[in-house]
Amino acid sequence: MFENVLEVGENPDELIVYAALGKAARSWPDAHAIVHALLELDERQTLVLASGAAVGIIETGTQAPLVLSAVNNTVGRWSDAERFYARADAGQTMWGGLTAAAWQYIGRQGVLQGTYELFGAIARTHFGAAPSSEGTALDGRWVLTAGLGGMGSAQPISARMLGLSSLTVEVDEAKADRLAATGALDVVTSDTDAALGAISAAARSGTATAVALIANAADVFAEIAGRGVVPDIVTDQTAAHDARYGYLPQGYDLDTWRQRRESDPEGVEADARASIAAQVRAMLALADAGAVVFENGNNLRVQAVEHLGEAAADEVNRIPGFMEAYLRPLFARGIGPFRWVALSGSTQDQRVLDDLASRLFPARPEIARWIDLARRHVPAQGLPARSCWLGHGERSAFAVAVNELVADGSLEAPVLFSRDHLDSAAMTHPRIGTEGMRDGSDGSTDFPLLDGLLLAATGADLVAIHSGGGGYSGWMQSAGVSIVADGRPETVVRLRRSLDADTGLGVLRHAFAGYPEAEASVAAGGETGDAPVTWLQRSAARGLDPSTGSGQAKLDQPNQRIDQPNQSIEENR
Ligand code: NAD
C-alpha cells in the first residue's frame, strides 16, 4: 500500500500523493527506512511512525496493530501554517493529507462516490428527484467547478454517472490531458465560448458531456457570472485550502507561481486569497441568480474571509459546506467512504469482490447500483480497488465474508479494507466534516482521537492520527484505519471488532449530538441489525431536540438502553 499511494500519487518524486502537499513519508531516507522496517517486521511487533519518519519498533503482541502512526499533531498555539512550513522545510514534520501518510489513497476512485452521493443529494434536495432516479432530475443540467487534481479529477466522472454535464476549470493543461487519456473528458479547450457551446449542445441533445477549460477559475467564474449564464450547480475543488501551494492566483502562469513561491511566499498567499475572494464573489452572484452553490471541502470560504475581512463572513458563509448541507444524514448512520483493495493485483479478485458487494445487501439496493456504475465508469488506478459507501454493520459483514473467500481460495490473496479519514467518527474539521454539528462540537477533536484509540484496542492493522498541515494547520484532526482479511479464522474477530468500533463510534457521536438518523441506527443495531452499540445518554436528556438539534430538554424520556445490557456485545467479548 505504501508503494501503491506513490504509484497513483500526484508527484511521487517528492513523495507527494495529493491535496497540494499531502505526503507518504517525510523524506526519501525516511521512506527507505519505513520500507525496510515493514519488510523485516514480525507479527508481534508494531512499527511506530512520527510525522512520516520511522521512530522504532515496539513489542506489542499479535493482536496489536502492525503500524501506529501520528502525523503533525501539534499543540494548538503552534498549529499555524507559518510554523508548519518552517518545520517542514527543516525536515521536522510533514502533512499526511488524510490518506497519503496512512497509505490508503487509491487515487480519484477514493473520492468519486462521495462526489456522486453529493450530486445525488443535490438532485433530491433541489431538483425534486426521487431516491434512485436522481439521474432523471439531472438530465440536461450542468455543474461549473474547478480543479482536476488528485481528488478534483473525480468530479467529471461522478457527474456523468448521474447524467450531469460538467465544465471544470483547470490551470494545468497536463492534468486535463491526463484525465482525458482515461476517456473521462469529451472536450479540452482554453476557449470559454467553446466550453459553454459544448455544454449547451449537450443539453440540447439530451446527453451529458465533460468539458475541461484551461484557465484560471477566478477569471472564468467571474466571466460566467458577468455574462448572466447560470449553471445549475456551482462548486470548486482546487486545493484552495493552501494559499501558498494550492491555488494559482489570477495573472500568474505555472512557472511564475513556482518561482514566486520561493521568492515571495507571503505575496503569493495574498494574491491567491484575493483571487479566491473574487471567485467566491462570483459564486455568490451565481447563487443569487438561482444556481445551487456549495463548498466541497477545501476551505474556500475561509480563504475568502481572510482576504475580505471578518465583516464579510456572513455574506461568504451564505455558501454552505457540503457535509452539513447534504451528506450528514448518511454519516449519522455510519455510512461513509469505505474501500477495499485487492492485494493480489488481480482484476479477477476485483470482480469477485464487486459481485459479493452487489449481492450482500439487498435491503439497500443503492449499493448494487453503485457497484454496477463503478464497474462501468471508474477508470482503474494502481492496485484494483473499490470505494463503496457502506454503513454500520455492513462493513464488518462484508469484511468477514471476504475473509471466508480468501480462506477457501476464491480470492487469490488477502484484501485490505480502509476508508477515507473524512468519515463518521474519524474527522474533525469545523468547515468540512463537522461544520454546524447540532451540539456545537464542530471543533472538538475528542471523537477522532477516541476512534484511533478504539481502532488500536480492537486490533486493526494500521492506525493513524493526523492533524492538518499547510493551509489546514490548526483546522483538522483525523484518524485512519487499515485492516487486512488474510483468511485466517482468528482474523474474523479483529475484522468485526475494529470495523464495528469505527462505525459504531460514528453513530454514537451523531446520536450524542442529536441526529435522529443516528438514534434510529442505535435502536436498529446498525444497517444489518447485527451491530449493537450501547448508548448511555439520549441527546434529549442533554437538552438537544433531535428534530431540530436545539431547544428544550426532554428530560422525561427515559434511556431505554441503559438498563438493557447488550447480549451480543457481551458474547463478543
Ligand atoms: P491537487 O493539489 O491534487 O489539485 C488541485 C488542482 O487545482 C490542481 O490540478 C491545480 O492545477 C488546480 N488549480 C489550482 N489553482 C487553480 C485555479 N486558480 N484555477 C483552476 N485550477 C486551479 O488537490 P486535490 O487532491 O484534487 O484536492 C483538492 C481540494 O479538495 C483540496 O483542498 C482537498 O483538501 C479537498 N478535498 C476534499 C474532499 C472532499 O471529500 N470533499 C476530499 C479530498 C480532498
Side-chain angles (χ1 to χ4, degrees):
M1 289 303 293
F2 178 82
E3 289 175 345
N4 196 54
V5 296
L6 291 179
E7 185 176 327
V8 301
E10 294 295 295
N11 182 359
D13 290 347
E14 293 183 33
L15 293 158
I16 288 177
V17 179
Y18 76 114
L21 288 181
K23 292 176 76 173
R26 203 188 292 185
S27 67
W28 275 107
D30 290 310
H32 293 306
I34 289 169
V35 171
H36 182 72
L38 288 173
L39 293 173
E40 296 293 315
L41 206 61
D42 185 287
E43 211 182 352
R44 291 158 303 181
Q45 298 174 325
T46 297
L47 169 63
V48 178
L49 304 176
S51 299
V55 175
I57 291 172
I58 307 259
E59 303 291 323
T60 48
T62 54
Q63 298 295 307
L66 289 167
V67 180
L68 285 174
S69 167
V71 182
N72 196 45
N73 297 284
T74 309
V75 293
R77 290 279 186 122
W78 284 24
S79 289
D80 59 68
E82 279 315 309
R83 209 179 290 258
F84 168 81
Y85 292 131
R87 291 196 67 224
D89 287 347
Q92 295 168 353
T93 192
M94 65 166 205
W95 185 45
L98 301 174
T99 52
W103 317 328
Q104 295 153 343
Y105 183 79
I106 53 172
R108 68 182 74 91
Q109 306 171 88
V111 79
L112 225 149
Q113 194 186 356
T115 316
Y116 165 88
E117 297 288 346
L118 193 48
F119 289 143
I122 288 171
R124 292 191 297 277
T125 309
H126 300 284
F127 303 126
S132 83
S133 64
E134 288 85 357
T136 318
L138 292 175
D139 266 353
R141 298 188 187 273
W142 65 288
V143 55
L144 170 67
T145 183
L148 290 173
M151 297 287 88
S153 57
Q155 300 176 100
I157 304 171
S158 309
R160 195 198 295 278
M161 284 176 161
L162 287 158
L164 181 69
S165 289
S166 58
L167 196 171
T168 313
V169 189
E170 166 60 59
V171 282
D172 186 346
E173 190 164 8
K175 305 265 176 158
D177 290 344
R178 182 184 64 171
L179 187 62
T182 70
L185 291 174
D186 301 308
V187 178
V188 179
T189 177
S190 47
D191 183 87
T192 306
D193 289 327
L196 289 172
I199 295 286
S200 308
R204 279 196 303 276
S205 67
T207 53
T209 190
V211 180
L213 175 56
I214 310 305
N216 192 306
D219 294 337
V220 173
F221 279 46
E223 188 183 345
I224 287 181
R227 286 187 191 195
V229 176
V230 185
D232 297 286
I233 303 171
V234 179
T235 188
D236 171 272
Q237 214 165 19
T238 60
H241 72 270
D242 196 303
R244 190 174 298 184
Y245 291 93
Y247 188 97
L248 185 121
Q250 288 170 293
Y252 284 48
D253 60 25
L254 288 168
D255 281 339
T256 346
W257 192 28
R258 275 181 216 112
Q259 285 157 14
R260 288 202 58 194
R261 279 199 306 237
E262 302 300 321
S263 61
D264 180 17
E266 282 84 13
V268 170
E269 288 177 4
D271 289 348
R273 290 196 176 103
S275 300
I276 291 170
Q279 187 182 338
V280 165
R281 275 208 188 93
M283 291 168 79
L284 288 164
L286 290 169
D288 290 338
V292 174
V293 181
F294 65 96
E295 179 184 297
N296 195 2
N298 63 355
N299 262 18
L300 195 76
R301 292 165 297 170
V302 166
Q303 303 287 23
V305 171
E306 285 258 331
H307 175 77
L308 297 168
E310 272 307 312
D314 285 350
E315 171 67 359
V316 168
N317 290 329
R318 289 203 288 126
I319 298 174
F322 71 116
M323 184 57 62
E324 185 185 10
Y326 303 113
L327 294 184
R328 184 148 305 135
L330 292 177
F331 270 28
R333 292 159 60 192
I335 298 174
F338 186 58
R339 60 184 63 165
W340 54 84
V341 180
L343 297 176
S344 59
S346 149
T347 47
Q348 171 57 18
D349 276 3
Q350 166 100 318
R351 279 191 284 276
V352 172
L353 292 162
D354 278 345
D355 288 345
L356 179 68
S358 294
R359 68 170 184 271
L360 208 56
F361 306 107
R364 285 216 301 129
E366 60 268 37
I367 295 171
R369 199 165 54 242
W370 161 255
I371 295 289
D372 177 51
L373 276 170
R375 279 177 146 153
R376 288 187 281 125
H377 289 278
V378 180
Q381 278 180 286
L383 285 169
R386 186 70 74 221
S387 166
C388 183
W389 280 47
L390 297 183
H392 182 46
E394 291 170 339
R395 301 183 191 188
S396 59
F398 183 74
V400 168
V402 169
N403 201 56
E404 281 168 23
L405 296 180
V406 176
D408 72 16
S410 306
L411 290 163
E412 290 173 30
V415 173
L416 179 132
F417 302 100
S418 145
R419 56 158 173 70
D420 195 2
H421 294 205
L422 177 58
D423 196 22
S424 180
M427 154 77 92
T428 289
H429 186 313
R431 302 314 299 259
I432 301 183
T434 46
E435 180 167 10
M437 289 291 285
R438 285 185 168 178
D439 63 346
S441 62
D442 305 24
S444 163
T445 59
D446 289 348
F447 281 99
L449 294 174
L450 282 169
D451 197 29
L453 294 172
L454 274 169
L455 288 164
T458 47
D461 286 318
L462 177 149
V463 182
I465 46 172
H466 290 190
S467 196
Y472 281 140
S473 298
W475 278 102
M476 67 161 79
Q477 178 77 57
S478 67
V481 56
S482 299
I483 183 160
V484 176
D486 57 8
R488 292 189 294 182
E490 60 269 30
T491 304
V492 170
V493 178
R494 289 194 299 115
L495 287 169
R496 196 184 293 284
R497 280 185 183 157
S498 62
L499 294 172
D500 281 350
D502 193 29
T503 49
L505 184 70
V507 170
L508 283 176
R509 169 198 215 174
H510 286 86
F512 197 69
Y515 289 87
E517 298 89 346
E519 293 197 16
S521 174
V522 172
E527 300 302 307
T528 56
D530 198 22
V533 286
T534 302
W535 182 22
L536 298 179
Q537 282 202 55
R538 292 186 74 87
S539 50
R542 298 173 48 244
L544 295 161
D545 178 349
S547 60
T548 63
S550 60
Q552 296 300 307
K554 294 181 187 157
L555 291 170
D556 53 338
Q557 287 190 0
N559 185 325
Q560 292 162 354
R561 299 192 77 86
I562 201 165
D563 53 4
Q564 293 173 359
N566 194 311
Q567 201 61 38
S568 325
I569 283 187
E570 290 309 317
E571 278 165 13
N572 278 341
R573 286 207 175 100

